Amino acid sequence: MLLDSAGLWFRAFYAIPDRVRTDDGRSINAVRGFLDMTAQLISAHRPGRLVACLDLDWRPAFRVELLPSYKTHRVAQEAVAPGPQTGAVPEEVPDTLGPQVDMILEVLDAVGIATGGAEGLEADDVLGTLAAREQVDPVIVVSGDRDLLQVATGAGSGASGSGVAGAGSGASGSSVTGAGSGASGSSVAGGVPEVRCLYIGRGLAKAEMFGPAEVAERYGLPPERAGRAYAELALLRGDPSDGLPGVPGIGEKTASKLLLQYGSLAAIREAAAASPSPLAARAAASIAASADYLDAAWDVVWVRRDADVRLSGPDALPTEPRHPERLAALAAELRITAQVERLLAALDAAGE
C-alpha cells in the first residue's frame, strides 16, 4: 500500500476540529486524523507492505518550466524558509499544519512505517514509480488526487517504466529499484501485479477503488489503455486545481468521446490536423491551436515512473514499534495515546 501522505494530512487537518492541543498549546488535529486514517486503511486492507510517500518538491522546476501556471494558486504569498515538504518555492500551508508534519514523520519513524521520497519530485512521482516497478505484490495507491488514476493497471499488463523485479524492502537511505507495497502481502505469479487506486476525495467512508476497468467505465475511456487515457483526458479537459488550462472548448465529455472514437490523444491530434478534418471544425481548430500546450504539458500531467526513490527503511509492515520507548514518549507528549494504540492494534491484526 502506498499513501499520498500530504493528501492525508491536509485532509485530516481540515476534517478534525482544532480543539485538543498539547500541554504547551501545539495543534495536533492533523496528527490525530492522519494516524486514525492510516489505522483504518491498514485494518480494511491488511497490506503486507506500506510506504508513506512524500513531496520533496511539491512544485518541481521542470514542470513549472514546461507550464508556468502549474500550481501557481498554491504558492505562498509571503516567502518562508522552505522545508522538506515545501520545495524551493514555499507552498501555502496553514500555520498550524506545518509543525504537525514533523510530528507525523516522527511518529511514523518510531512506529517503523517507511517513508519514501525523491529529490526534486512530488509524491505523485514516488507513488507512480513504486507502483510501476513493483514485481511481487498487488498495489493499492491511496490518494484524494484523481491524477493518480493514471497509474491503474491490470495484472500482467505491465507499466511504463517498470524496473527490476522482486525488491521486498528498501534498505535505509537506499535507492529503490523495485519496491512498492502490496495489499495483503499476496504475490502474483507470471506477470506484473495489478495496481489499483483507492480514491478518497470524498473521505474514507466513501472511498472508491479504481482498477483499469473502473477508470474506463467512470470516465468513458478505452479499457485497454485506461490509465494512460485518463492522463490524456486530463490534459485535454484541463484541471484548474493544478493550473492546467486544457484545450478551449474541450470538456470532459468531449474528451471522453474523442478518446473512445480515436483511441489515443496522438490519433485525435492527427485527425485534427488532417485536411479536411473528420472532427467538428471548432474542435479541430482548437486542438490544432493548442499544439504547444499539448506538447509541453504532457510531462506535467504524466506521473514519473523512473524517480530515484529513497526509503527511510524496510517497507514491510511492522508488527511492533521500532522504537517503543520513543513512541510512548511521543504519544504522551502529543496527547495521541488513543491514536497510537489504534494504529498498533491495526498493525498487530494485519500481521496475523
Side-chain angles (χ1 to χ4, degrees), residues 2-351:
L2 303 173
L3 304 182
D4 177 2
S5 300
L8 287 180
W9 61 57
F10 266 98
R11 179 168 296 278
F13 177 83
Y14 288 110
I16 308 298
D18 187 13
R19 293 174 185 158
V20 180
R21 298 196 172 197
T22 63
D23 290 340
D24 57 3
R26 288 175 291 169
S27 296
I28 51 173
N29 56 325
V31 181
R32 292 161 68 95
F34 181 94
L35 295 178
D36 275 339
M37 284 192 288
T38 302
Q40 290 174 49
L41 288 164
I42 291 169
S43 295
H45 301 283
R46 293 177 175 254
R49 295 155 60 202
L50 177 70
V51 179
C53 300
L54 308 176
D55 286 318
L56 295 191
D57 190 336
W58 71 280
R59 191 170 179 252
F62 80 93
R63 289 193 167 107
V64 177
E65 289 172 4
L66 290 168
L67 189 69
S69 63
Y70 184 57
K71 294 185 177 180
T72 51
H73 65 294
R74 302 189 207 173
V75 176
Q77 296 301 309
E78 297 180 4
V80 296
Q85 297 303 312
T86 60
V89 176
E91 182 179 13
E92 189 170 24
V93 176
D95 292 340
T96 57
L97 174 57
Q100 295 189 68
V101 172
D102 293 332
M103 299 176 197
I104 290 169
L105 296 179
E106 281 191 74
V107 173
L108 291 178
D109 182 64
V111 172
I113 292 176
T115 58
E119 288 296 330
L121 293 174
E122 302 173 60
D124 286 9
D125 301 304
V126 178
L127 292 156
T129 295
L130 293 179
R133 289 178 176 171
E134 178 59 32
Q135 298 289 313
V136 178
D137 294 321
V139 179
I140 295 176
V141 172
V142 181
S143 179
D145 186 348
R146 291 189 299 171
D147 292 347
L148 270 303
L149 295 179
Q150 64 178 272
V151 306
T153 57
S157 64
S160 175
S162 59
V164 180
S169 63
S172 178
S174 63
S175 178
V176 178
T177 55
S181 296
S184 305
S186 59
S187 60
V188 177
V192 177
E194 71 173 344
V195 178
R196 294 179 296 162
C197 299
L198 185 65
Y199 177 68
I200 59 169
R202 299 191 299 157
L204 279 186
K206 297 181 179 180
E208 299 175 271
M209 188 71 79
F210 285 89
E214 290 78 16
V215 174
E217 181 179 0
R218 173 66 61 86
Y219 294 98
L221 299 170
E224 67 278 6
R225 57 187 305 274
R228 190 177 184 91
Y230 182 83
E232 295 172 345
L233 175 86
L235 188 65
L236 288 165
R237 174 196 64 200
D239 185 349
S241 68
D242 280 340
L244 289 173
V247 175
I250 305 294
E252 186 168 299
K253 290 183 178 180
T254 301
S256 166
K257 179 180 177 181
L258 291 172
L259 285 164
L260 282 173
Q261 182 175 354
Y262 291 96
S264 70
L265 177 58
I268 293 170
R269 294 183 67 179
E270 287 180 9
S275 183
S277 173
L279 274 61
R282 182 173 296 180
S286 188
I287 291 168
S290 300
D292 289 344
Y293 158 74
L294 292 171
D295 289 339
W298 174 251
D299 284 332
V300 176
V301 172
W302 185 245
V303 170
R304 295 276 294 272
R305 271 74 167 172
D306 60 351
D308 182 16
V309 178
R310 301 179 74 83
L311 298 186
S312 62
D315 64 6
L317 198 72
T319 56
E320 57 186 25
R322 177 188 294 157
H323 303 296
E325 293 182 1
R326 187 160 137 248
L327 180 61
L330 284 169
E333 175 192 348
L334 301 178
R335 301 185 65 184
I336 53 171
T337 299
Q339 286 73 25
V340 168
E341 288 177 350
R342 285 193 284 269
L343 177 57
L344 294 180
L347 292 171
D348 184 62

